[in-house]
Structures are given as structure tokens and as C-alpha cells.
Amino acid sequence: FANDATLCRYLRARDWNLKRAMKMLKASLQWRKVARPEFITWDDVKKEGEEGKQYLAGRDRHGRAVLIARPGRDGGREQASHVRFLIYTLEHATWSDTAEEDLPLGAHAEHTGEKLVVLINFTGWTLATAPPMKTARETLAILQEHYPERLAVAVCYNPPWIFAVFWKAISPFIDPNTYRKIRFVNPKREKEVRRMRQMFDMSCVDEDLGGDRSNAFDARAFGDKMRVFDARKAAVLKAKAMR
């Protein structure tokens, strides 16, 4: 985990202040020792994952991994399982998809890109499906404190007017650097839609996000894919432990 790319991310997150960066890294290492994110498997989180509320969907036009989040599909309010699934998804997103190397993404970021694009589809979202404020704050803390400098941009697609209430409550807890990376897309505004088309190949984007691909979610196929990923990751961790 603590390779050169990781160290650089923590330094960038703290404006190259070595003392502050080391304090942040130490906190993350302590968190990882307790949370053990690399050992979470699909079978640990499949109840959450089968709702199709978070999944990777290829890469954008700049080669960055795209993480699609669908908060409107969140059927549960249980904080621990929600957070555990978030961590699993982030770990999946930040590992390499290069079969011959089998390394964490940061270790060869020069040709895969270490940044993520988060595409949040608010179709069907209501205050009833919004996470409790405690969960939202913990989610932000994990993203900002333990996965620093991973976010390239977060695109909030089609948020309903009532989202403004939730946004007003949560935005004070968003780090200024993260806040500047958030974009809102109203599908009725051509300029915003055009900007989104410049970011994504729309043939790979779901229909309810303005793309051409079916937005049906095949939970079984996705689960099978995740189990293959888990097995591959476990093999890498075992090989590293034996060195």
C-alpha cells in the first residue's frame, strides 16, 4: 500500500507539507489495520452490491476508471454494511486491471491513471433514500482521509430540486479541494450535456445517464466478476506475504 505513488498522493493532499502528510498517512495505516479493506470480499458485501448502487463501468476518454453510484437504488439504512460496501468498491477501483502485473493501481499509475471519475446518477433519488447524515459524513471522511488524491471529478447527474436540502447539510463537511471537483449536470441543459459527452464515450454510458447502454443491472454476472477479482487479489496478497 505505502508505495511511492501512495506517498506522493498523501503529500499532494497536504500541499507537500511532510509533517502533515505523514500524520495523514499514519492515520490511514491505523485505519487499514482495523478495517482490513484488502480482505473484504464480494460475499461479505453482496447484499449491498446486488442492489446495483455502485459499480465500475470502464474508463472515461482520459483513461480514468469510472465509478457509477446510484443512490436511488439504496434500499437499506444500515450504516456499517453501507460503509463496508463503499470500502470494497474503492479497493476494487484502485487495483490494477492489468492482468500481467497484478499490482495496486498506484504502483504503475503512469500508464493506467490513478484517478477516479465518480458518476452519481440521482435518477429516482429522494430524501427517503438518502443516507443518514452520520453515514454521509463517514463516507466523506473515508474518501478524503484514506483515499486522498484519487478523485478526478465527481459528476452529479440529474439531481432533483429536493437534493438542495441534503447538499446544504453535507457540503460544509466537504474538503475545499474535493468541492472544486464536483460538477452538476442537468440533462435539460445542452451545454452541460455536451460537456459530459466530451468526458465519456456515451456508447458505454447507461441510458438513464443519457447514454446508449441498457441500465439493467445483472447482479449474478456482476457477482461472478467480483469473485474472480477477489480470487486474483487474494493470490497477489498471498504471494506478497510469502516474499
Side-chain angles (χ1 to χ4, degrees):
F1 170 74
N3 53 40
D4 288 349
T6 295
L7 299 179
C8 284
R9 282 194 298 276
Y10 278 77
L11 282 165
R12 290 198 302 270
R14 290 297 178 260
D15 298 321
W16 300 95
N17 182 304
L18 180 59
K19 186 175 181 179
R20 293 175 62 216
M22 288 302 295
K23 181 179 179 181
M24 185 185 192
L25 178 60
K26 183 178 179 181
S28 286
L29 291 173
Q30 290 172 338
W31 173 79
R32 293 183 72 90
K33 184 178 180 180
V34 174
R36 293 169 62 85
E38 66 271 34
F39 295 106
I40 300 173
T41 68
W42 170 255
D43 288 318
D44 295 327
V45 299
K46 67 178 182 179
K47 185 176 179 181
E48 293 275 333
E50 287 174 346
E51 296 174 345
K53 62 183 181 182
Q54 289 173 20
Y55 52 89
L56 288 181
R59 296 183 178 272
D60 72 352
R61 295 188 187 277
H62 297 285
R64 302 172 297 198
V66 177
L67 172 60
I68 292 182
R70 293 175 171 273
R73 289 182 177 176
D74 193 349
R77 305 280 290 182
E78 208 277 313
Q79 178 176 345
S81 59
H82 173 92
V83 170
R84 193 168 174 80
F85 179 55
L86 169 72
I87 294 169
Y88 176 78
T89 305
L90 290 172
E91 288 292 302
H92 179 208
T94 53
W95 274 66
S96 168
D97 62 359
T98 308
E100 68 272 16
E101 296 196 57
D102 285 329
L103 291 170
L105 180 59
H108 48 87
E110 69 277 3
H111 63 79
T112 59
E114 59 181 357
K115 296 277 190 177
L116 305 175
V117 174
V118 180
L119 181 51
I120 308 172
N121 185 354
F122 282 97
T123 302
W125 185 91
T126 66
L127 285 178
T129 60
M133 186 55 61
K134 183 179 179 181
T135 303
R137 289 180 63 178
E138 184 173 356
T139 296
L140 277 174
I142 289 171
L143 286 166
Q144 295 175 163
E145 295 171 17
H146 304 312
Y147 294 88
E149 290 297 304
R150 284 295 194 182
L151 181 65
V153 61
V155 179
C156 299
Y157 184 86
N158 197 27
W161 67 269
I162 196 67
F163 176 75
V165 176
F166 181 78
W167 180 250
K168 186 176 181 180
I170 195 64
S171 56
F173 302 102
I174 301 176
D175 180 88
N177 288 331
T178 302
Y179 194 95
R180 287 192 287 269
K181 298 174 183 177
I182 298 172
R183 305 285 184 271
F184 291 89
V185 172
N186 184 334
K188 295 181 180 179
R189 295 178 180 172
E190 181 57 34
K191 184 178 180 180
E192 295 176 9
V193 172
R194 189 164 58 245
R195 193 176 301 146
M196 187 169 167
R197 288 172 180 161
Q198 291 172 351
M199 288 182 61
F200 303 99
D201 177 356
M202 301 309 283
S203 66
C204 301
V205 174
D206 296 348
E207 290 174 338
D208 59 355
L209 284 161
D212 304 320
R213 190 176 67 178
S214 169
N215 53 283
F217 182 74
D218 188 335
R220 177 177 292 183
F222 186 73
D224 289 344
K225 180 180 178 181
M226 291 300 94
R227 288 188 181 94
V228 170
F229 165 75
D230 290 344
R232 178 170 160 264
K233 184 172 68 170
V236 174
L237 292 171
K238 183 178 180 180
K240 285 180 178 293
M242 293 175 65
R243 289 178 184 174

